[in-house]
Amino acid sequence: MTRTPTSHFGVLLVGSGSATPSQVISNDQLGKRVDTSDEWIKSRTGIAQRRVISNHETLHGLSAKAAQKAMSMANWEPEDIDLLVLATSTPDDLFGSATQVQAELGAKNAVAFDLTAACSGFLFAMITVSQFLRTGSMKRALVIGADQLSRWVDWDDRRSCVLFGDGAGAIAMELSKEEDGLIGFKMRSDGARGSCLNLNNNEDFEELVDGTVFQKGGFSPIRMNGQEVYKFAVREVPAILESLLNTNNVKPKELDWLLLHQANQRILDAVAERFSIPSEKVLSNLARYGNTSAATIPLMLDEGVKDGRIKPGDLIASSGFGAGLSWGAALFRWHGHN
Ligand code: UT7
């Protein structure tokens, strides 16, 4: 799907928020569990620590905190919200956690649902939500990216457990009849290559009655072929970004920020190098959070907004990529609160 929308309604990014778990696990601490080292993890990934949800916290609780902050920045009341989309692959409730967040916020007029697209989830959700706003059928929406992969990581598999962490980030988006902050987007999926990163159901069948069987619910830990995912990312992310920039007649040097899914510093560096984007324009907080899946982009965006690096009007190229396989890119301007 590569069409740039042409409706005369625009969308604006007017608020951001984030929330992270209180537990911090350093590389050295992980070294007490698996055969790894701070030196290996930092040099191969850029990650120094990650955060993990404890028994005092929940995924929907963190999501609500992040959304609350985005809502406050936008100066909205809970009743103002028409739509709430939670991008997550790890809901507290398989029927959906967006409604749990809606209840916690008191956003009683919002329709709320989950969207699953792994590490591309936030970007896919932002684009999905923008379609509702562009038609004029909805005015104010919260887009949340949150994941608790710590539930499904095999903490004894050093090849994957060092990468992931938990977190939540959110943005507030509204319809505008004057301006358009979402300049363009592209989205891709390729299920044929999906077997390099999976979080599958257990193959656990039990007898029901009279020789019939049922599949007992539960998931196997994350399985990942790191090298394949790495190759996919460094090939497809530059390709989709290049195509997005060309379609919208934007030169890489016009970008204020490159905001990629935070999976590995080496992937960030490779993409930046491909477009000759200087490292000061490449947003990265991998060192502190690792890969928080659907949360990485809004978590990083919120950090940049809060510390004053990202200013109103800044042009941002973003790309999410991961399991599915799925990947996408969006070109947008941060609007901020008027
Ligand atoms: O959202 C998308 C999620 N997934 C990703 O983004 C993953 C993308 N892939 C990657 O980031 C990298 O492939 C990894 C960081 C996962 C691995 O880095 P690599 O440079 O591709 O390492 P490798 O898999 O080629 O392994 C090199 C060596 C191996 O040892 P031998 O066989 O050469 O003796 C591994 O066993 O490093 C070993 N190794 C480790 N050693 C210490 C693998 N993991 C570890 C570890 N600590 N944690």
Side-chain angles (χ1 to χ4, degrees):
M1 197 346 223
T2 57
R3 199 156 47 86
T4 301
T6 52
S7 145
H8 62 271
F9 289 133
V11 296
L12 298 177
L13 281 75
V14 293
S16 68
S18 60
T20 55
S22 51
Q23 288 192 129
V24 181
I25 319 277
S26 69
N27 290 344
D28 284 335
Q29 284 175 296
L30 269 191
K32 295 179 184 169
R33 173 108 186 188
V34 289
D35 181 14
T36 190
S37 65
D38 181 52
E39 198 280 325
W40 192 96
I41 302 171
K42 270 192 192 143
S43 62
R44 300 279 178 143
T45 71
I47 298 166
Q49 60 179 52
R50 70 284 300 141
R51 289 176 177 245
V52 171
I53 286 181
S54 73
N55 48 348
H56 309 296
E57 296 156 323
T58 61
L59 181 83
H60 70 272
L62 285 186
S63 302
K65 264 193 207 166
Q68 177 69 56
K69 291 178 192 166
M71 207 167 71
S72 309
M73 193 188 287
N75 239 337
W76 295 348
E77 296 302 322
E79 301 78 33
D80 297 337
I81 296 155
D82 302 314
L83 174 65
L84 184 158
V85 176
L86 172 63
T88 187
S89 305
T90 53
D92 292 327
D93 183 333
L94 266 189
F95 288 145
S97 282
T99 47
Q100 295 175 294
V101 179
Q102 179 214 14
E104 213 148 310
L105 294 176
K108 57 177 193 283
N109 298 318
V111 60
F113 58 89
D114 290 18
L115 182 150
T116 300
C119 298
S120 309
F122 175 79
L123 212 71
F124 281 22
M126 186 175 108
I127 294 162
T128 302
V129 161
S130 74
Q131 307 308 302
F132 285 96
L133 300 174
R134 284 190 188 292
T135 61
S137 61
M138 298 199 179
K139 289 202 175 80
R140 294 186 191 88
L142 287 169
V143 189
I144 307 162
D147 264 308
Q148 187 177 353
L149 284 184
S150 61
R151 278 175 172 151
W152 303 112
V153 163
D154 177 352
W155 287 106
D156 296 313
D157 174 13
R158 70 175 184 173
R159 290 166 304 138
S160 59
C161 76
V162 300
L163 299 177
F164 299 108
D166 303 333
I171 58 165
M173 277 177 94
E174 68 183 18
L175 173 152
S176 167
K177 294 187 176 162
E178 286 88 41
E179 293 173 72
D180 194 5
L182 180 59
I183 295 147
F185 65 82
K186 291 182 189 263
M187 299 158 86
R188 297 288 307 276
S189 305
D190 185 2
R193 286 191 275 163
S195 59
C196 56
L197 184 51
N198 306 96
L199 205 179
N200 281 321
N201 259 291
N202 287 326
E203 297 281 312
D204 192 2
F205 286 83
E206 290 185 7
E207 181 170 354
L208 176 61
V209 64
D210 295 337
T212 59
V213 295
F214 73 97
Q215 187 173 9
K216 201 161 158 33
F219 293 87
S220 306
I222 292 171
R223 278 189 304 109
M224 183 183 74
N225 179 334
Q227 289 186 1
E228 282 305 311
V229 179
Y230 189 91
K231 280 190 263 173
F232 147 71
V234 296
R235 189 169 47 231
E236 301 295 1
V237 175
I240 199 165
L241 277 171
E242 182 172 32
S243 158
L244 179 68
L245 294 177
N246 287 342
T247 306
N248 293 283
N249 287 317
V250 171
K251 303 262 175 306
K253 62 175 188 306
E254 295 173 56
L255 298 172
D256 293 299
W257 301 107
L258 185 63
L259 171 52
L260 303 182
H261 166 52
Q262 310 278 300
N264 186 324
Q265 188 62 43
R266 284 154 58 209
I267 297 176
L268 269 57
D269 295 344
V271 177
E273 195 181 327
R274 165 74 185 69
F275 295 104
S276 305
I277 295 175
S279 57
E280 313 85 75
K281 288 186 170 190
V282 182
L283 294 163
S284 173
N285 61 8
L286 260 167
R288 274 170 292 126
Y289 301 111
N291 178 349
T292 56
S293 189
T296 63
I297 292 174
L299 190 58
M300 185 63 249
L301 179 74
D302 184 51
E303 188 176 314
V305 167
K306 294 269 161 57
D307 68 22
R309 270 180 293 172
I310 300 177
K311 298 188 172 55
D314 278 1
L315 182 60
I316 302 172
S318 185
S319 178
F321 53 89
L325 296 174
S326 61
W327 65 108
L331 194 58
F332 57 86
R333 286 191 191 278
W334 170 247
H335 187 271
H337 175 56
N338 281 318

